[in-house]
Amino acid sequence: MSRQIIHTDDAPAAIGPYSQAVKIGDTVYLSGQIPLDAATMTMVNATIEDEIHQVFKNLRAVCTAAGGGLGDIAKLNIFLTDLGHFATVNAIMVQYFSAPFPARAAIGVASLPRGSRIEADAVMVLG
């Protein structure tokens, strides 16, 4: 099975040696997204709500570039530097996802790139 690298200018460019996503067959592996603005590569971090929205917008842009959408995500991983934001993530997530929701993990971590308070990656299945 061939690997296809997914790239879009509508999501932040990779800040390391990785691709925004890799498609193998009908499965797309999305790299972690932090709340970077794609146009300026600056953090959108005035509030945790701003960060959460930007992360979901970035994931959506990569999903679209791969030929799918957020509704095609089978597994979502969310990393938070403060699990006290768990309820806020849930409240905002339902603005981007609808039932049936993807499988999900929410993991507390000590730190994230560029001082982000949230990062999310995903596995999307097309078809």
Side-chain angles (χ1 to χ4, degrees), residues 19-104:
S19 301
Q20 290 173 330
V22 177
K23 180 179 177 187
I24 301 173
D26 290 337
T27 305
V28 182
Y29 301 89
L30 288 85
S31 291
Q33 289 290 331
I34 59 173
L36 284 172
D37 177 90
T40 65
M41 290 300 288
T42 59
M43 293 288 287
V44 177
N45 61 354
T47 66
I48 185 63
E49 292 84 0
D50 292 337
E51 289 192 36
I52 296 165
H53 280 289
Q54 190 63 49
V55 164
F56 287 135
K57 289 174 186 176
N58 291 346
L59 283 175
R60 181 173 56 202
V62 178
C63 287
T64 299
L70 292 175
D72 297 308
I73 290 178
K75 177 70 165 94
L76 179 66
N77 295 310
I78 297 174
F79 305 92
L80 294 164
T81 58
D82 181 350
L83 286 173
H85 298 305
F86 185 81
T88 305
V89 169
N90 287 340
I92 293 172
M93 184 175 162
V94 297
Q95 296 173 37
Y96 294 88
F97 293 85
S98 56
F101 297 106
R104 189 185 89 179

